[in-house]
Structures are given as C-alpha cells and as structure tokens.
Amino acid sequence: MKLIPLTAEELRLKTIFQSHTDILSRPFFQPEFTHISQKCGAAPKHLLPIAMEEKLTENACFKKDEDTAIQRHLRYLPAMYHEHTFFEMIYVFEGTCTNYINNPPDTLKKGDLCLIAPDTLHAVGAFSDAAVIYNFMIRTSTFEQVYRSFLHTPNALNDFFMQALYVKRRNASLIFHTGDDEVLRNFMGYVCQEYEKQEKYWSQMVNNLLHAIFILLLRRHEEDIELPGTPDLKALDEVVDILNYIHTNFSEVTLGRLAEKFSYSERHISRLLKEQTGMNFHDILREIRLRQAADLLSNPKLSLADIVEQVGYSDVSSFSRIFKKQYGRTPADYRKNMLL
C-alpha cells in the first residue's frame, strides 16, 4: 500500500500535535479531554473529530447489516483510552503506531497484526505522516463463527478466543509479526477494498476473507506470535483445554463427565473454572449453549424445537425463558430481528 497523503483533518491534528507534543504524545482518559482541549487551545471537535467514548458497544459502532466495520486510523489523533464489547484487529500497512495496553506499551511496526479482546482498556497513537494503520472492528458473534472452524485444532487463535470470552486473568492481546508477507498484506488490502466499495455480497466476502486471513496467520506465522503481559501459563493452558472440551461437547457434557475426562474431582474442576473465569460450570455451559442457539436462529429452516434439541435443552418453554433473560427478547423476536 502506497503512502497516503494527510487529509485536511489529519493536517489540522498534526498542527495541534506539533504545538503541544508534550501534552498529546501520551495517552489520556475521557475525563481529561476537556482539560487537555483547553490547554491546547483547540476546539474539542478539532482535537477529537470522531465520536469516542470510554465504553463502546456494538450498537454504537456497527450498522445493522455489518459484521465487521473497518476504519483507517487518523494520524495524529490523540490516543484516548477506551474499551469495547467486540474484538478489534489492528494491522500496520506502513510505518508504526503505539498500542497502550501493557506497560511498557507495544510498538507495532509494518506487517504487525494485533488482536484485542473485548473489554480491554487500551489506546492507540500514530504520530507520523508515514503511518498507514487500519482498525478492524469485529462483532463477537462474527469472530466466533470464523473461529469455530479452528475449534478442533489446538492453536493460538483458539486459545486467545477462549481466554477473551471466559478467562479473567487472560492475554488481552495477541500480536502476529508478519513482516513483509505480501500474500497476507494483499488479503488485508482486499478486505479494506470490499468494505469501501460495498458491492453485492460484500459482507459475506469480508467474512470469508477474514477466515482466510486467520488461516494464513496460523499457516505462515504461528511461530511469530507475541503474547504481551502473559499471565500464569500453566493454569491458563489447563482452563483453556477444559473450555475447549465444553465448547466441543456442549450439547451433552456434564460436570461429572468433564471431571472424568480431565482426571479431577468435580469440586476441583469447579474451583478451577471459578478462579480463572469468575463463572461456574453451569454458567459457562449456559452461555455457550445460548451463543450457539443465537447463531442457529439465523437459519430459517430450523424450527425452534430443532435448535433447542441441538444445543442440549429438553424443553422449549424453559429454553425460551432462559434465552429471553440473556438476550432481552424471545427466540422468535430475536430471529425476526436477524432476518429483517
């Protein structure tokens, strides 16, 4: 990808940055924004020309028909801490950027791809004309659909996804150092083009390209992974294996079978899950089953009774009650909204 000239917005941001580098070269939190704007003598809309809250939701960041939203990161945009309820992927086409998640922060360079888990406080700064950085925001349900094909093969993406959804002391980010891999770089470019043009079937194409990108990452760069701020690996590996088993066998798994599979007592395995995820076995199983059910509801050929049976429930009415408590609407209303 060629270097992109600074837009009028970026030129304005660069002027402000160069005049107040001491203030704007560090990340800040939302409550500081007004004070920093005043110190820089800049109108808030000029200093931060995009909507940025500390907690971003899928409803605020995605259009109704979008599974993935893609944006080029504005150069010289102040780095404000935020978190979101979805996955984010940062790819560096050119130059560098600073990702403030860990201490010290991570410097991402050309070819680096960083996955960020939901509910992770972070900020990104790109203060160079040469930086070409793209942000890919991916709905959690979409990431899960793409990831599901990797479920039966142990790999870094599988572990990262399980940690992101269930583990408290987890790896908040995963970095692939892909360097000058032109094949991967071209695929990243294809995704951006599909999103920008939005021609017929663009959304399906974006999802399929993301799937291909994850395959390329695992095929060509599984040895080039960095796990910043890695926690206790032994306990983490153990609970990820258990979560993988629950995910694979969600329709029939029980706590007794799980304990037998991993040669633990039911009490020990319950304590391990609670310590690492903050949830007990039944909470985790319910969440996995409801996620699967929500995905199956997008298929109009499946009856509710079929779906209930597939996800391991025996009674439609009790399932509907549990589903409504989780998603705020009945399965029928949820399906109707998905198929609009």
Side-chain angles (χ1 to χ4, degrees):
M1 181 174 287
K2 296 180 181 179
L3 292 180
I4 300 173
L6 294 175
T7 64
E9 201 71 76
E10 289 173 320
L11 286 169
R12 184 183 297 115
L13 289 169
K14 181 179 180 180
T15 299
I16 299 172
F17 177 81
Q18 289 179 329
S19 300
H20 303 280
T21 304
D22 56 329
I23 300 172
L24 297 176
S25 58
R26 66 171 183 84
F28 62 90
F29 291 89
Q30 178 74 36
E32 300 177 79
F33 178 54
T34 302
H35 178 63
I36 288 174
S37 299
Q38 292 171 347
K39 288 185 71 173
C40 293
K45 67 179 180 180
H46 289 161
L47 185 60
L48 200 65
I50 61 172
M52 179 67 78
E53 300 294 332
E54 282 195 15
K55 184 72 171 183
L56 299 172
T57 65
E58 291 191 358
N59 288 339
C61 297
F62 295 88
K63 297 176 183 176
K64 190 172 184 179
D65 60 343
E66 282 185 337
D67 293 324
T68 301
I70 302 173
Q71 297 176 344
R72 185 174 64 81
H73 188 87
L74 287 178
R75 287 161 287 189
Y76 301 101
L77 183 73
M80 194 179 86
Y81 280 112
H82 63 285
E83 57 184 84
H84 33 67
T85 59
F86 45 85
F87 285 85
E88 182 177 5
M89 184 168 72
I90 300 171
Y91 182 72
V92 182
F93 279 98
E94 299 289 347
T96 64
C97 68
T98 304
N99 192 19
Y100 299 93
I101 294 181
N102 304 291
N103 189 20
D106 305 308
T107 298
L108 304 180
K109 58 186 183 299
K110 181 179 177 180
D112 283 350
L113 184 150
C114 179
L115 276 170
I116 301 174
D119 303 315
T120 299
L121 192 67
H122 66 287
V124 179
F127 305 113
S128 163
D129 291 11
V132 181
I133 317 294
Y134 273 77
N135 299 324
F136 301 74
M137 297 173 285
I138 308 170
R139 289 185 188 270
T140 298
S141 58
T142 302
F143 196 94
E144 184 172 13
Q145 289 170 16
V146 172
Y147 138 86
R148 194 174 292 139
S149 64
F150 303 111
L151 186 61
H152 300 287
T153 306
N155 60 67
L157 278 178
N158 189 353
D159 291 354
F160 178 73
F161 181 79
M162 285 297 175
Q163 292 176 42
L165 288 189
Y166 304 108
V167 179
K168 292 185 296 183
R169 295 183 294 275
R170 56 182 165 79
N171 288 309
S173 62
L174 177 69
I175 300 173
F176 288 87
H177 297 294
T178 72
D180 293 320
D181 187 335
E182 285 298 320
V183 174
L184 181 71
R185 185 181 176 84
N186 288 338
F187 269 82
M188 299 302 295
Y190 298 153
V191 176
C192 295
Q193 290 172 21
E194 283 291 333
Y195 184 80
E196 183 179 346
K197 294 179 180 179
Q198 298 202 356
E199 297 176 339
K200 193 175 183 180
Y201 304 120
W202 70 269
S203 183
Q204 293 92 326
M205 180 64 85
V206 166
N207 288 350
N208 286 330
L209 285 169
L210 284 175
H211 197 163
I213 285 166
F214 289 143
I215 290 173
L216 286 171
L217 287 170
L218 291 173
R219 176 187 291 174
R220 301 162 72 95
H221 299 287
E222 197 162 13
E223 302 303 316
D224 304 317
I225 292 175
E226 179 184 349
L227 291 170
T230 301
D232 181 352
L233 287 179
K234 183 178 179 181
L236 204 53
D237 288 345
E238 201 170 34
V239 79
V240 165
D241 287 343
I242 294 170
L243 290 168
N244 274 327
Y245 185 82
I246 299 172
H247 237 280
T248 306
N249 302 278
F250 65 86
S251 61
E252 72 275 349
V253 68
T254 64
L255 183 58
R257 290 182 187 178
L258 192 64
E260 183 179 349
K261 166 69 178 177
F262 289 92
S263 302
Y264 289 135
S265 68
E266 292 185 17
R267 182 177 180 181
H268 177 82
I269 211 163
S270 295
R271 184 170 65 250
L272 180 63
L273 287 171
K274 187 70 174 179
E275 286 176 353
Q276 293 293 321
T277 71
M279 295 186 287
N280 61 39
F281 166 75
H282 296 290
D283 291 336
I284 293 169
L285 181 60
R286 181 180 64 249
E287 187 164 322
I288 291 172
R289 286 176 169 177
L290 290 177
R291 284 178 183 274
Q292 179 71 12
D295 186 38
L296 291 173
L297 283 167
S298 65
N299 183 350
K301 295 181 180 179
L302 289 175
S303 69
L304 182 56
D306 291 335
I307 293 172
V308 169
E309 183 179 359
Q310 284 191 38
V311 300
Y313 284 94
S314 58
D315 180 70
V316 172
S317 61
S318 63
F319 166 80
S320 298
R321 186 172 60 253
I322 295 168
F323 188 94
K324 184 176 182 180
K325 185 176 180 181
Q326 177 79 4
Y327 289 99
R329 61 183 70 184
T330 66
D333 288 340
Y334 187 92
R335 166 175 272 175
K336 187 183 300 182
N337 187 64
M338 290 181 72
L339 299 178
L340 285 177

